[in-house]
Amino acid sequence: MIFAYNKEHVGDVLMVIVSDDKGQENRVERKGNIAQVSVAEDGQVVAWNIFEASTILGDIEGNGQVVLTEKQLTKVNEELAKVGFSETLVEDHEPKIVIGFVKSCKKHPDSDHLSITQTEVDNGEVLQIVCGAPNIKAGQKVVVAKPGAMMPDGMMIWPGVLRGVESFGMICSAGELRLPDAPAKKGILELPFDAVIGEAFPVGK
């Protein structure tokens, strides 16, 4: 679950992204200052919009992806119950943009520029990630945006299929992470070998 807030461009609205709607038609139900967004076909909740968010939560620190305090999350759930929704929001504190290790890398059978990697992201957890960077290879420490991550430009990362091969995340470049002095040349960011697998990677805003 991702919380996002951008008062300058969106207004005083806290956006809560729960899951990927996969481009399906959505249905919006609004009660008071809260709108529930769900997939029209099966009713799966994919997002919430909390209007006049600062009135409900007080000051919200950050721009883009934000972290709520326990007190603020409690206030959100109190507001949900107050207006008549039965759901409770639970924040996922697991980092979504982390240091990973490319255990293996092979050419995609249906592409001349894509590679299929098996990339460890924490405590033995390995994700299959399809990567188009020309400098990707086995043995690298890299930055991985796991499913559910929000990139600095607001793009969400979800599982997908690239040329018939499943991919569960993205291996990032310095530019995608908005690092200062990111090179213009295409390619993933390669980290020093002493970088610790699974640690959260600080992302520029």
Side-chain angles (χ1 to χ4, degrees), residues 137-203:
K137 61 184 178 182
Q140 291 173 318
K141 293 282 182 73
V142 295
V143 180
V144 177
K146 298 164 64 174
M150 176 181 277
M151 300 300 292
D153 64 359
M155 180 178 72
M156 294 293 301
I157 303 299
W158 302 113
V161 178
L162 294 174
R163 294 285 187 94
V165 175
E166 290 184 314
S167 183
F168 299 92
M170 182 174 75
I171 298 176
C172 305
S173 69
E176 289 163 337
L177 295 165
R178 290 197 176 173
L179 299 184
D181 302 319
K185 185 178 179 181
K186 289 185 177 180
I188 53 97
L189 175 67
E190 186 171 1
L191 300 177
F193 197 73
D194 60 358
V196 179
I197 299 170
E199 279 195 355
F201 187 86
V203 178

Side-chain angles (χ1 to χ4, degrees), residues 111-130:
S111 171
D112 58 2
H113 72 281
L114 295 175
S115 299
I116 303 169
T117 76
Q118 301 296 325
T119 301
E120 183 178 352
V121 291
D122 191 22
N123 293 324
E125 180 188 2
V126 176
L127 299 178
Q128 177 169 286
I129 300 176
V130 178

